[in-house]
Amino acid sequence: MALVLGTEYCKVDSNGRFKFPIALKKQLESSDCRFVVRRAFTGECLELWTYESFQKEVAELQKRLNPYNVEDKQILRRLTRTNVMELDSNDRLMIPPEQKSLLKDAKEIVLQSTGENIEIWERNAYEQLFESDSQDFIMTVNNRLGAKHELSSAGDAE
């Protein structure tokens, strides 16, 4: 998927459809209106990929995993357990029934871009992500990114 940025709040109708935000659609490179949705490996959300970018993701997985290794086969099955969806004539996507329960039959969802895909969250679950103490988040950022930043700064000084 092209680098897509943004957070969008969407209403879900009684049929499980939501209008795909124009702000996100404009950022997509392709005019292909097919998407792939799967349960996220971490977090209580779904991941939305363009069809083309998911094909690349699967090709990369196949390069890295041995299809004859039982554990690798389980990983491949889990990460390719998906549904293909297409925008309808009104730019709506339907949340697949077998994945809708993860979103707790939400009436409102949040689309959160992560760069390589778009996460689909039930609104309350999404908002709970940000209720944690900001000091904890700052420490996490420093632990995960701080050393990298210090190394790049040190290299610039030399």
Side-chain angles (χ1 to χ4, degrees):
M1 180 179 285
L3 181 61
V4 178
L5 302 173
T7 302
E8 298 287 336
Y9 291 76
C10 303
K11 299 280 185 198
V12 179
D13 69 18
S14 59
N15 295 319
R17 297 174 302 195
F18 65 94
K19 184 155 179 78
F20 192 73
I22 193 74
L24 297 178
K25 186 178 179 189
K26 284 183 177 181
Q27 295 179 60
L28 300 176
E29 293 174 342
S30 172
S31 61
D32 187 354
C33 293
R34 294 176 297 169
F35 292 89
V36 175
V37 65
R38 74 174 176 195
R39 184 179 179 140
F41 186 61
T42 59
E44 292 298 313
C45 66
L46 300 174
E47 293 176 346
L48 185 68
W49 300 72
T50 62
Y51 187 78
E52 183 181 329
S53 64
F54 195 75
Q55 286 180 320
K56 291 176 185 173
E57 173 79 0
V58 171
E60 183 62 34
L61 285 171
Q62 288 174 328
K63 284 183 204 172
R64 297 178 66 191
L65 298 172
N66 177 352
Y68 301 106
N69 178 288
V70 174
E71 291 172 340
D72 286 2
K73 190 69 166 183
Q74 289 174 339
I75 291 169
L76 192 59
R77 268 190 215 111
R78 170 74 190 268
L79 295 179
T80 59
R81 186 176 177 194
T82 63
N83 292 88
V84 177
M85 308 180 331
E86 224 172 305
L87 286 177
D88 69 11
S89 59
N90 294 317
D91 286 340
R92 294 178 301 192
L93 284 173
M94 182 181 302
I95 300 168
E98 61 272 14
Q99 295 174 330
K100 193 175 177 183
S101 64
L102 179 67
L103 301 177
K104 302 173 183 84
D105 296 319
K107 301 293 181 220
E108 191 169 9
I109 58 173
V110 181
L111 303 182
Q112 169 67 58
S113 120
T114 63
E116 69 180 357
N117 60 50
I118 297 170
E119 294 177 338
I120 304 173
W121 288 87
E122 185 272 330
R123 184 178 181 155
N124 291 330
Y126 178 78
E127 290 176 352
Q128 287 176 0
L129 291 173
F130 300 100
E131 288 180 4
S132 65
D133 184 23
S134 61
Q135 282 301 112
D136 290 342
F137 179 71
I138 291 168
M139 288 176 47
T140 300
V141 170
N142 284 333
N143 288 338
R144 299 291 298 147
L145 301 174
K148 182 177 181 181
H149 177 71
E150 289 171 12
L151 289 175
S152 65
S153 297
D156 292 344
E158 291 178 352

